[in-house]
Amino acid sequence: MIHKITLLAAAITMATPGASAASEAPAFREYFSDSTLRLDYQFGGDAKTQHVMLSRQSKSAGWAGRHSRLTELPLTGNGTVTLTDAATGDTIYRTSFSSLFHEWLSTDEAQTTQRAMENTFLVPLPRVEADVHIELLDSRHRPMAAMTHRYRPDDELVATDKRTPNPHRYLHRSSDPANAIDVAILAEGYTAAEMDSFYSHAAVAVESILAHEPFKSLADRFNFIAVASPSDDTGVSVPRLDDWRSTAFGSHFSTFYSDRYLTTPSLFRVHDALRGIPYEHIIILANTEEYGGGGIYNSYTLTAARHPLFRPVVVHEFGHSFGGLADEYFYENDVMTDTYPTDVEPWEPNITTMRDFASKWKHLLPAETPIPTPTADAAKYPVGVYEGGGYSFKGVYRPADECRMRNNTYPSFCPGCNDALIKLINFYR
């Protein structure tokens, strides 16, 4: 992404709590109906103390997510949501995420000020009473905040959403939403009169993503749907210019005072705009010529659609939000920060501290590959162990010298990223 996002926790499939190793995987229809439970939370606190607070639960018809491997995690992210059967304690569903709140905890402001930030997660709607466990993890993969709450099918305060969907159109449809990875694209900073421009930009985003492997070869696994979400004003807010706009999701640059970092604080509104639309992943297009963007795993991609680098940036950010890929760029002479402590293995599949390299791209290396791999030999070793990545000059390693996750000029994902994306797509579908 454009500005570093602190992504915390381990890149491993975690053991399933509440179920023994001998337990059979739960059948979808046994525990869930073909509907969605939306969970809205506030993550709050400061660098010393964090809290998770439930804001709202609601349900809607249709479930676009996975119907198998329900209790597995392909990536841990920096937090997890786990559903357990209230009667037996058995785990029936798991998902994972990263959040802007985690990154904010590393800022100077978090040392002196408490803040709250919105987060929304979608899970299949349980047929039975279920306990929802949500947990935030720190940079060493340790729990730092958690809460548990009960979902009851007869709870009259769980709202049923029957709102008419916003206008939308499929830009790429391979199959029924239940059998595809559904990606929704939202308009930010486009007025009602500018929706034709939005649909045009959304088509460019889809074309750009599907031009890259492995998405190109696996395009039949995806649906992309553009959803009209009009704003009062054109463009998005640019605080450094004292330019504030009224937009659908209140997006702005200068997140955490980084000029190019473009995010939205209004995740509830983002998901409101997608009511009645089958979706699992979100891309938000900002109607601006300013350079910037951001991507957060299992949350959203946000990209400036009118900038000349729109095409490579939207692919890069989708690598974050969909693929859980880390940034592979770094700063020479920079010292190691707590973003990636060198004594623990990052959860992102395309960087390593060599603490558990066997879980990463080691299987791709030819036997004679030197570790670490000298950048002078990059032509000889298209995949290796190159030092520098995750914003750190030392102690963190990447799979290749160049990659779409390192810069905007390289035309493709490196072999390590490509392999990780294939595994993730196969996990979902």
Side-chain angles (χ1 to χ4, degrees):
M1 62 189 134
I2 303 302
H3 176 78
K4 73 178 184 179
I5 286 184
T6 303
L7 303 176
L8 318 170
I12 57 174
T13 299
M14 299 179 66
T16 299
S20 67
S23 297
E24 294 185 0
F28 185 87
R29 292 187 180 277
E30 178 181 0
Y31 288 102
F32 303 105
S33 61
D34 184 24
S35 300
T36 298
L37 176 62
R38 171 177 158 179
L39 304 167
D40 291 346
Y41 297 98
Q42 293 279 358
F43 295 170
D46 55 26
K48 295 180 180 180
T49 306
Q50 301 83 39
H51 306 280
V52 179
M53 293 152 285
L54 177 64
S55 180
R56 186 172 183 263
Q57 298 179 95
S58 59
K59 55 190 176 182
S60 58
W63 168 245
R66 66 187 190 270
H67 286 72
S68 61
R69 306 181 73 171
L70 300 178
T71 62
E72 299 177 42
L73 295 180
L75 299 171
T76 305
N78 57 18
T80 59
V81 177
T82 302
L83 272 60
T84 59
D85 184 331
T88 66
D90 290 341
T91 296
I92 57 177
Y93 184 79
R94 300 193 78 200
T95 189
S96 57
F97 61 88
S98 295
S99 75
L100 195 62
F101 178 73
H102 278 84
E103 181 185 359
W104 174 77
L105 291 176
S106 67
T107 67
D108 290 341
E109 184 183 47
Q111 301 297 322
T112 59
T113 305
Q114 292 197 339
R115 278 188 177 272
M117 299 185 185
E118 298 176 358
N119 289 270
T120 293
F121 308 104
L122 307 180
V123 300
L125 185 70
R127 295 180 182 273
V128 298
E129 286 196 15
D131 289 322
V132 183
H133 313 268
I134 180 166
E135 186 172 65
L136 309 186
L137 306 173
D138 68 14
S139 61
R140 296 183 179 278
H141 325 319
R142 301 168 301 199
M144 62 180 184
M147 77 165 296
T148 298
H149 58 92
R150 177 68 56 89
Y151 167 76
R152 293 186 293 105
D154 62 351
D155 188 343
E156 63 191 54
L157 295 182
V158 178
T160 300
D161 185 9
K162 299 179 180 178
R163 187 180 306 185
T164 301
N166 280 334
H168 56 276
R169 65 179 66 165
Y170 276 93
L171 302 178
H172 173 86
R173 184 165 188 169
S174 61
S175 64
D176 183 86
N179 300 315
I181 298 170
D182 298 279
V183 183
I185 305 177
L186 285 169
E188 171 68 324
Y190 295 81
T191 65
E194 295 175 306
M195 281 303 136
D196 285 345
S197 291
F198 161 67
Y199 285 123
S200 176
H201 294 157
V204 170
V206 175
E207 176 189 332
S208 301
I209 292 169
L210 295 183
H212 284 71
E213 294 291 357
F215 302 114
K216 181 177 182 179
S217 296
L218 299 175
D220 62 345
R221 310 283 186 92
F222 288 86
N223 292 336
F224 287 88
I225 183 169
V227 182
S229 43
S231 296
D232 294 335
D233 294 337
T234 296
V236 295
S237 298
V238 186
R240 64 183 173 81
L241 302 178
D242 193 26
D243 183 3
W244 293 93
R245 309 288 177 96
S246 175
T247 61
F249 313 119
S251 301
H252 63 81
F253 288 89
S254 298
T255 302
F256 308 148
Y257 300 97
S258 175
D259 287 349
R260 299 181 301 178
Y261 195 13
L262 174 63
T263 65
T264 171
S266 304
L267 284 178
F268 297 168
R269 284 157 57 183
V270 167
H271 287 268
D272 286 348
L274 292 171
R275 284 173 169 163
I277 305 292
Y279 70 101
E280 299 167 80
H281 301 276
I282 302 170
I283 297 172
I284 306 171
L285 301 186
N287 187 21
T288 179
E289 296 179 354
E290 289 283 323
Y291 176 65
I296 304 171
Y297 174 56
N298 274 352
S299 186
Y300 63 85
T301 278
L302 211 171
T303 309
R306 292 190 181 276
H307 191 274
L309 292 177
F310 170 43
R311 288 176 178 270
V313 171
V314 74
V315 176
H316 176 99
E317 302 300 351
F318 193 64
H320 288 307
S321 70
F322 170 77
L325 300 176
D327 284 314
E328 293 181 9
Y329 57 79
F330 54 91
Y331 309 102
E332 293 191 19
N333 302 318
D334 196 10
V335 296
M336 185 66 197
T337 68
D338 286 337
T339 304
Y340 298 107
T342 56
D343 60 344
V344 295
E345 185 67 25
W347 66 264
E348 296 92 332
N350 62 321
I351 59 172
T352 183
T353 56
M354 303 302 294
R355 294 293 172 172
D356 185 18
F357 182 44
S359 68
K360 299 301 178 68
W361 63 91
K362 186 176 181 179
H363 63 286
L364 299 177
L365 298 183
E368 72 279 5
T369 306
I371 301 176
T373 312
T375 55
D377 293 336
K380 184 177 180 182
Y381 301 106
V383 58
V385 185
Y386 293 90
E387 190 164 24
Y391 328 115
S392 298
F393 184 47
K394 294 290 185 181
V396 180
Y397 301 83
R398 64 193 189 278
D401 186 35
E402 296 293 348
C403 178
R404 166 62 72 235
M405 298 310 295
R406 186 177 178 192
N407 61 56
N408 289 325
T409 58
Y410 198 72
S412 63
F413 290 106
C414 69
C417 290
N418 190 73
D419 182 70
L421 289 168
I422 291 172
K423 290 177 179 176
L424 186 61
I425 293 168
N426 288 336
F427 175 85
Y428 285 127
R429 292 291 183 270

